[in-house]
Amino acid sequence: MPRRVPTAILRSAALLAPAPARAEWLAEWTAELWYVERDATAFCLGSFRDALSLRMRSFSLRRAVSLDSPLRCLLLLSALAASALVWAVVCGDLLLPSQPDAESKQFGIILFWMYLESFLVLLTLNPLGLGEYPANRDAPSLPIRLRRWVFLAGKIVLFPPIVFFAAVALAPVFPAAAWALFVGLIAGLRWVFADQRRRCPVCLHFLSHPVAIGSPAHTLFQQHGTKVGCARGHGSLFVPSAPTSWCAAQSWQYVDRMRGGNGEPRAAAAVEPTAPRKDGDSKAAALKARHGGQAAALR
Amino acid sequence: VGSEVKLSHTAAMILQAIEAGHIYGLSVMEASGLPSGTVYPALRRLESDGLIRSHWESQAIADAGQRPARKYYRITRAGEVTLRASQKRYPLLTRLFPSSAEGKA
């Protein structure tokens, strides 16, 4: 007997069930539906409640506020900005003008200058560089590489309203709210760049599995720092423990697509040590060989 | 888990139905008169509390009967202890579904 409507209901309800349990959940309901002789639609409507309860049981607050997913990160920042706006309107008596007047324009310019100043202050405290991400043959296509910059721009745009509205909300009870706004902008910008540095440039998820490379006693021409990899196999990032003339900033290495395609595990290629900068230097080559052995031992 | 778990009347009814031999969701629904939206979430809750255990029917048996394999539920030892406590709390529970042991007697 064709049961298109009940099956469609079950399939719709399955979307509510958590992904790891979805297949088994749907299999059970589909099997039970086979035995239902009457009111199959009413029977299937109960599946929504079941899927929802399963979803609620598997809900994890820690996972919900996790910033690992770039989309979730932007959504969380948007939600925080909206919450801060409501807080500012309710507690800080913020008036939203229907039409921008001269005063509000001037206020906007001051805020913009304050934002630029926080950039300059941050530049003196902490370099804004994101590291080296070479656009070589292993690099992904331009749209994928551009996504990283769009994500960075999104964070830069979304966090100032959070700080601004929070400062406005605090202003009636905290006289130094203007200073709090300035400090908040600096701290926020610092977080934006720090967050960007610890993400994979391809999938924009957090890098993981840190491996210590080298030792502080043998730093000449040798890398000493930490290597972190992308869990999805896009590459690895070397973060030097101390900036040197041959390794000043963190450097990304895309996984070798040729090697990945020849049957070798992509993850193995991802943790391959990066080549020393001074090609042809025999000492560097010898150190590289030793360094490779250390990395293998650490693995 | 164990005897410390206090079940609601509905959950106790479902546990009693499983002990009485109604070992799959639809059978529990028919025996208890509860809707599917109540029975299946309760089954999952009882299972996560360790009061019942589920297993899939062998695919070979299902294929022989030309029907899909079903998921069966069985009461655990902890479930039995909890059910005894619930029966003291809800004395009419045993009258709803006579247990399998009573049925055999």
Side-chain angles (χ1 to χ4, degrees):
Chain A
M1 190 174 81
R3 289 184 159 181
R4 284 182 188 166
V5 173
T7 307
I9 292 171
L10 287 186
R11 286 187 186 279
S12 309
L15 298 173
L16 289 174
R22 191 172 294 152
E24 191 181 346
W25 181 91
L26 190 59
E28 184 183 5
W29 274 92
T30 310
E32 293 289 281
L33 176 64
W34 195 87
Y35 295 93
V36 175
E37 289 172 352
R38 57 193 171 86
D39 290 339
T41 307
F43 171 80
C44 290
L45 284 173
S47 65
F48 280 100
R49 194 172 166 191
D50 185 30
L52 202 62
S53 83
L54 205 61
R55 167 70 68 180
M56 296 301 284
R57 287 176 78 83
S58 69
F59 176 78
S60 156
L61 184 65
R62 191 178 172 185
R63 209 171 51 191
V65 297
S66 164
L67 300 177
D68 182 50
S69 159
L71 187 66
R72 190 174 287 171
C73 177
L74 292 180
L75 285 175
L76 200 69
L77 286 177
S78 309
L80 279 174
S83 308
L85 172 63
V86 173
W87 187 28
V89 170
V90 174
C91 301
D93 297 330
L94 179 73
L95 297 172
L96 298 172
S98 53
Q99 286 184 335
D101 51 7
E103 198 179 335
S104 60
K105 273 182 186 172
Q106 199 178 5
F107 188 59
I109 290 167
I110 292 170
L111 276 178
F112 182 69
W113 271 111
M114 201 179 250
Y115 192 33
L116 283 182
E117 275 178 29
S118 63
F119 258 105
L120 292 172
V121 171
L122 186 65
L123 202 59
T124 60
L125 297 173
N126 198 26
L128 293 180
L130 294 173
E132 294 172 17
Y133 295 80
N136 53 25
R137 66 183 170 89
D138 296 320
S141 59
L142 186 66
I144 292 176
R145 277 183 283 149
L146 279 178
R147 248 182 3 190
R148 178 168 162 254
W149 296 106
V150 171
F151 178 59
L152 177 66
K155 284 188 292 184
I156 288 174
V157 169
L158 279 172
F159 96 87
I162 300 171
V163 183
F164 169 67
F165 292 128
V168 170
L170 285 172
V173 290
F174 187 59
W179 284 105
L181 171 63
F182 189 52
V183 172
L185 284 172
I186 294 168
L189 266 176
R190 193 174 188 276
W191 170 81
V192 164
F193 283 90
D195 178 78
Q196 192 74 7
R197 281 188 207 105
R198 59 192 182 127
R199 287 181 185 271
C200 167
V202 181
C203 63
L204 301 175
H205 284 264
F206 285 138
L207 299 166
S208 55
H209 309 301
V211 176
I213 300 287
S215 60
H218 304 90
T219 52
L220 187 63
F221 300 123
Q222 187 184 8
Q223 291 178 338
H224 168 232
T226 308
K227 192 163 256 192
V228 278
C230 172
R232 288 160 181 79
H234 295 125
S236 65
L237 180 78
F238 177 75
V239 185
S241 58
T244 53
S245 57
W246 63 88
C247 192
Q250 63 178 39
S251 59
W252 175 261
Q253 188 182 24
Y254 290 104
V255 73
D256 191 335
R257 283 196 277 185
M258 295 300 286
R259 287 187 64 188
N262 284 343
E264 281 191 35
R266 291 172 72 89
V271 292
E272 193 71 17
T274 47
R277 299 292 168 83
K278 295 187 175 179
D279 291 333
D281 191 329
S282 59
K283 190 176 180 181
L287 284 167
K288 183 195 168 190
R290 259 177 58 194
H291 157 78
Q294 284 173 355
L298 281 163
R299 257 180 268 148
Chain B
V1 198
S3 57
E4 289 176 12
V5 177
K6 281 191 177 177
L7 296 179
S8 67
H9 187 261
T10 308
M13 220 161 97
I14 290 167
L15 200 59
Q16 176 76 38
I18 292 168
E19 206 212 17
H22 303 283
I23 55 169
Y24 49 90
L26 193 62
S27 175
V28 173
M29 275 176 63
E30 286 167 352
S32 63
L34 294 167
S36 61
T38 302
V39 169
Y40 289 93
L43 286 173
R44 299 193 205 297
R45 208 160 37 244
L46 289 172
E47 190 177 9
S48 69
D49 287 345
L51 304 181
I52 58 171
R53 193 178 298 148
S54 69
H55 68 277
W56 281 93
E57 183 185 19
S58 160
Q59 191 61 49
I61 296 171
D63 289 345
Q66 294 185 323
R67 58 186 175 75
R70 307 189 81 144
K71 197 175 186 182
Y72 292 131
Y73 294 90
R74 196 178 61 186
I75 193 162
T76 61
R77 194 172 291 274
E80 283 172 6
V81 174
T82 307
L83 184 60
R84 296 289 96 81
S86 298
Q87 283 168 347
K88 284 179 189 166
R89 203 169 163 208
Y90 310 113
L92 295 176
L93 206 61
T94 46
R95 292 195 197 173
L96 286 172
F97 325 97
S99 70
S100 53
E102 287 171 21
K104 281 173 193 168

